[in-house]
Amino acid sequence: MGSLGAGTLIQASYFIAAALFILGLKRMSSPVTARGGIVWAGVGMVVATLITFLTPGMENYGLMTVAIAIGGILAWVTGRRVAMTDMPQMIAL
């Protein structure tokens, strides 16, 4: 049995991340399963981010880290300011 190349593993990881995003979006369509959907989509984002950081030849670690920090801070601040009744609109944005 031959070993898988790094490119194949990276592509498979991105496929898994995309599947998690899609399943997460599907689960977000119901109030009963929305929390689980957010978790599934979040796991997909973590997988995609880690694979991007581990991709051979990636050189923009500083820029990616700054972008993640800025996005995280903005999401945290807006999440604290938005009323729970307006949360679906914020998620849509």
Side-chain angles (χ1 to χ4, degrees):
M1 183 173 197
S3 63
L4 294 175
T8 303
L9 290 175
I10 290 169
Q11 293 302 317
S13 297
Y14 282 132
F15 179 79
I16 291 168
L20 288 169
F21 289 145
I22 292 167
L23 291 172
L25 285 172
K26 173 67 176 151
R27 291 180 59 89
M28 282 187 238
S29 66
S30 166
V32 176
T33 59
R35 183 180 177 105
I38 291 169
V39 170
W40 284 61
V43 170
M45 181 56 74
V46 169
V47 168
T49 302
L50 288 177
I51 289 304
T52 300
F53 271 96
L54 297 175
T55 299
M58 185 61 62
E59 298 175 2
N60 294 325
Y61 295 114
L63 186 58
M64 290 190 306
T65 303
V66 169
I68 290 170
I70 291 170
I73 290 167
L74 289 173
W76 184 79
V77 169
T78 56
R80 302 299 269 164
R81 291 184 180 176
V82 173
M84 286 305 292
T85 55
D86 293 333
M87 198 57 72
Q89 291 87 341
M90 190 188 90
I91 298 296
L93 287 174

